[in-house]
Amino acid sequence: MIRWTLLLFVLIGMVPASAEPPITAISIAPDQKAIILGSQSGIAIRSYPELNELRTFSTELANINSIAFSPDGKSLAVAGGRPGKRGRVELFDWPRGEMIRSVELPRDSVIQVRWRSDSQALLLAGSSAKVNLVDAGSMRILQSFEGHSKTALTAIFLPGDQQFLSGGIDESVRLWSLHDATPVRSFANHTRPVTDLLVMKSDEGAPANLIRAVSISEDRTVRLWQPLIGRMIRFARLDTIPMALTWCSKRKELVVACKNGGILWIDHETMMITREHAGIDGIPYCLAVASDGAVVVAGQNGTVRRIVRTD
C-alpha cells in the first residue's frame, strides 16, 4: 500500500481564479527570473518568483500546446494549432521576444515540441500521428516518422540524440532511431493514451542500456522504463489521471500534476509516492520546477501557483 505523507507547504504567488482561458503550456526562463505561459490568450511573461505580469509576445497561434527553451537558452519554441486544420511552431529570440522563424504543418496541430541537445533541431509530436524532426535554422522538416495509429501526444530525444521515444492516443510508447523510418521497439503496457514522457539523464560514461524513461497515461499510471532493452521496471498506480510530468533535480524526484488538481512527488527508484499537495482548484494542464525546487503549476481558469515544500 502506498503511504501518503501530508506536509506543510507555503503557497507563494497565487493568482486568483477567474473566467480566463486555461493555461496549457509553461516554461521557466534559463536565468530563472521569468516564467512563460501559453493559452488561448497568447504568450505571457511573468516574473519569477513573484509571478507578476511583465509583458506578452505576439503570436499567430490561437491554441498553444507546448513551450520549450532551447538548451543554449537563446530561443523559445512555441507550438500549437487547430486539429484538422493546421499546426504551427514559432521560434522567438530570447529574451527580446522577437519571432525569428516559423513552420506550418497542414492539418497537423502540434501537441508537443522538444529540442535536440545541440539546439539545432526540434521534435514535433502532432495530431497527424506523425513525429517530425525539424531543422531549427531553416524550420524545414528533415524527417517524418510514422508508426502511431492515432495522434502522437509526446516525443523526446534520448541521450546522444540518435534515438527518441514517442507516445500517443494509441496507448503505445515507441522507440525510434533517426536512421530508420519504422519504430525500433514498441511498448504496449499502457491501456489508455500516453500523454507525456521524460528521460532521466544517466551518469556520463554509464552504459546506454541504463538509460531510464518515465511515461504517464490516462490509465492512471506512471511507468518507469529501460527503453533500450525493452523493459518496464515498475510503475505507480494513482487515484486520478496524471496530466503533466516533470523532474525535480534538487530532490531527485518526479513531480506529477493530477486531474484532481493535486501535485505528487514520486521517488524515481521505487516509484513510491513520497509527498502530496492539494495543488490548484481545477484541472492543472502544465507544470515546471525551478532551480530552487519550487513547483509552478498552471491550468484551468488561468490559475498559476508556486508551491514551495517546507521539509
Side-chain angles (χ1 to χ4, degrees), residues 240-261:
T240 186
I241 294 173
M243 300 295 293
L245 169 71
T246 192
W247 171 250
C248 179
S249 58
K250 186 174 182 179
R251 295 183 177 274
K252 307 298 183 186
E253 289 184 316
L254 303 166
V255 186
V256 178
C258 298
K259 192 171 184 179
N260 64 0

Short mmCIF file of all heavy atoms in Angstrom, two decimals, residues 240-261:
data_model
loop_
_atom_site.label_atom_id
_atom_site.label_comp_id
_atom_site.label_asym_id
_atom_site.label_seq_id
_atom_site.Cartn_x
_atom_site.Cartn_y
_atom_site.Cartn_z
N THR A 240 -6.04 9.15 -9.52
CA THR A 240 -6.61 10.04 -10.51
C THR A 240 -5.67 10.12 -11.72
O THR A 240 -4.55 9.61 -11.67
CB THR A 240 -6.83 11.45 -9.90
OG1 THR A 240 -7.51 12.28 -10.84
CG2 THR A 240 -5.51 12.08 -9.52
N ILE A 241 -6.12 10.73 -12.79
CA ILE A 241 -5.35 10.77 -14.03
C ILE A 241 -4.21 11.78 -13.94
O ILE A 241 -4.43 12.94 -13.59
CB ILE A 241 -6.27 11.13 -15.21
CG1 ILE A 241 -7.31 10.03 -15.44
CG2 ILE A 241 -5.46 11.36 -16.49
CD1 ILE A 241 -8.36 10.38 -16.47
N PRO A 242 -2.98 11.37 -14.26
CA PRO A 242 -1.87 12.33 -14.32
C PRO A 242 -1.98 13.19 -15.57
O PRO A 242 -2.25 12.69 -16.66
CB PRO A 242 -0.63 11.44 -14.36
CG PRO A 242 -1.11 10.16 -14.99
CD PRO A 242 -2.54 9.99 -14.57
N MET A 243 -1.75 14.48 -15.40
CA MET A 243 -1.90 15.42 -16.51
C MET A 243 -0.57 15.94 -17.05
O MET A 243 -0.47 16.28 -18.23
CB MET A 243 -2.75 16.62 -16.07
CG MET A 243 -4.14 16.26 -15.61
SD MET A 243 -5.16 15.59 -16.95
CE MET A 243 -5.33 17.02 -18.01
N ALA A 244 0.43 16.05 -16.19
CA ALA A 244 1.73 16.60 -16.61
C ALA A 244 2.81 16.02 -15.72
O ALA A 244 2.57 15.64 -14.58
CB ALA A 244 1.71 18.13 -16.52
N LEU A 245 4.03 15.98 -16.28
CA LEU A 245 5.15 15.30 -15.64
C LEU A 245 6.40 16.16 -15.78
O LEU A 245 6.66 16.73 -16.84
CB LEU A 245 5.37 13.95 -16.32
CG LEU A 245 6.64 13.16 -16.00
CD1 LEU A 245 6.57 12.60 -14.58
CD2 LEU A 245 6.79 12.01 -17.01
N THR A 246 7.20 16.24 -14.71
CA THR A 246 8.49 16.90 -14.80
C THR A 246 9.44 16.31 -13.76
O THR A 246 9.07 15.39 -13.02
CB THR A 246 8.35 18.43 -14.65
OG1 THR A 246 9.58 19.07 -15.03
CG2 THR A 246 8.01 18.81 -13.22
N TRP A 247 10.65 16.85 -13.70
CA TRP A 247 11.70 16.30 -12.85
C TRP A 247 12.21 17.38 -11.92
O TRP A 247 12.48 18.51 -12.35
CB TRP A 247 12.84 15.77 -13.73
CG TRP A 247 14.09 15.36 -13.00
CD1 TRP A 247 15.30 16.00 -13.01
CD2 TRP A 247 14.27 14.21 -12.18
NE1 TRP A 247 16.21 15.32 -12.26
CE2 TRP A 247 15.61 14.20 -11.73
CE3 TRP A 247 13.42 13.17 -11.79
CZ2 TRP A 247 16.13 13.22 -10.91
CZ3 TRP A 247 13.93 12.18 -10.96
CH2 TRP A 247 15.27 12.20 -10.53
N CYS A 248 12.36 17.07 -10.66
CA CYS A 248 12.94 17.98 -9.68
C CYS A 248 14.36 17.52 -9.40
O CYS A 248 14.58 16.55 -8.66
CB CYS A 248 12.12 18.00 -8.39
SG CYS A 248 12.80 19.09 -7.12
N SER A 249 15.33 18.20 -9.99
CA SER A 249 16.73 17.79 -9.83
C SER A 249 17.22 18.01 -8.41
O SER A 249 18.09 17.29 -7.92
CB SER A 249 17.61 18.54 -10.82
OG SER A 249 17.50 19.93 -10.64
N LYS A 250 16.67 19.01 -7.72
CA LYS A 250 17.10 19.31 -6.36
C LYS A 250 16.79 18.15 -5.42
O LYS A 250 17.58 17.82 -4.53
CB LYS A 250 16.42 20.58 -5.87
CG LYS A 250 16.92 21.05 -4.50
CD LYS A 250 16.32 22.40 -4.14
CE LYS A 250 16.87 22.89 -2.81
NZ LYS A 250 16.31 24.22 -2.45
N ARG A 251 15.64 17.49 -5.62
CA ARG A 251 15.22 16.40 -4.74
C ARG A 251 15.37 15.02 -5.38
O ARG A 251 15.12 14.01 -4.73
CB ARG A 251 13.77 16.60 -4.32
CG ARG A 251 13.57 17.85 -3.47
CD ARG A 251 12.12 17.97 -3.03
NE ARG A 251 11.96 19.14 -2.16
CZ ARG A 251 12.15 19.13 -0.86
NH1 ARG A 251 12.51 18.00 -0.26
NH2 ARG A 251 11.98 20.22 -0.15
N LYS A 252 15.74 14.98 -6.67
CA LYS A 252 15.86 13.72 -7.39
C LYS A 252 14.54 12.95 -7.35
O LYS A 252 14.49 11.75 -7.09
CB LYS A 252 16.99 12.85 -6.81
CG LYS A 252 18.33 13.55 -6.69
CD LYS A 252 18.86 13.97 -8.06
CE LYS A 252 20.24 14.61 -7.94
NZ LYS A 252 20.73 15.15 -9.23
N GLU A 253 13.46 13.69 -7.62
CA GLU A 253 12.14 13.08 -7.62
C GLU A 253 11.35 13.52 -8.85
O GLU A 253 11.58 14.59 -9.41
CB GLU A 253 11.35 13.47 -6.36
CG GLU A 253 11.86 12.81 -5.09
CD GLU A 253 11.00 13.15 -3.89
OE1 GLU A 253 10.62 14.32 -3.73
OE2 GLU A 253 10.72 12.24 -3.10
N LEU A 254 10.42 12.66 -9.26
CA LEU A 254 9.46 13.02 -10.28
C LEU A 254 8.37 13.87 -9.65
O LEU A 254 8.03 13.69 -8.48
CB LEU A 254 8.84 11.76 -10.89
CG LEU A 254 9.81 10.75 -11.50
CD1 LEU A 254 9.10 9.43 -11.74
CD2 LEU A 254 10.39 11.29 -12.79
N VAL A 255 7.82 14.79 -10.43
CA VAL A 255 6.69 15.60 -9.98
C VAL A 255 5.57 15.45 -11.00
O VAL A 255 5.79 15.60 -12.21
CB VAL A 255 7.07 17.09 -9.83
CG1 VAL A 255 5.91 17.87 -9.21
CG2 VAL A 255 8.33 17.25 -8.98
N VAL A 256 4.37 15.14 -10.50
CA VAL A 256 3.23 14.87 -11.37
C VAL A 256 2.06 15.75 -10.95
O VAL A 256 1.74 15.84 -9.76
CB VAL A 256 2.81 13.39 -11.30
CG1 VAL A 256 1.58 13.13 -12.17
CG2 VAL A 256 3.96 12.49 -11.74
N ALA A 257 1.44 16.41 -11.93
CA ALA A 257 0.20 17.15 -11.68
C ALA A 257 -0.96 16.26 -12.09
O ALA A 257 -0.94 15.64 -13.16
CB ALA A 257 0.18 18.44 -12.48
N CYS A 258 -1.98 16.18 -11.25
CA CYS A 258 -3.09 15.25 -11.47
C CYS A 258 -4.40 15.98 -11.77
O CYS A 258 -4.57 17.15 -11.41
CB CYS A 258 -3.27 14.35 -10.25
SG CYS A 258 -1.83 13.32 -9.91
N LYS A 259 -5.32 15.27 -12.38
CA LYS A 259 -6.57 15.87 -12.85
C LYS A 259 -7.39 16.46 -11.72
O LYS A 259 -8.17 17.39 -11.92
CB LYS A 259 -7.39 14.84 -13.62
CG LYS A 259 -8.55 15.43 -14.39
CD LYS A 259 -9.20 14.41 -15.30
CE LYS A 259 -10.30 15.06 -16.13
NZ LYS A 259 -10.94 14.08 -17.06
N ASN A 260 -7.25 15.93 -10.51
CA ASN A 260 -7.99 16.47 -9.36
C ASN A 260 -7.35 17.74 -8.81
O ASN A 260 -7.79 18.26 -7.79
CB ASN A 260 -8.11 15.42 -8.26
CG ASN A 260 -6.76 15.01 -7.67
OD1 ASN A 260 -5.71 15.51 -8.08
ND2 ASN A 260 -6.78 14.12 -6.71
N GLY A 261 -6.32 18.24 -9.47
CA GLY A 261 -5.64 19.46 -9.05
C GLY A 261 -4.41 19.22 -8.20
O GLY A 261 -3.63 20.14 -7.97
#
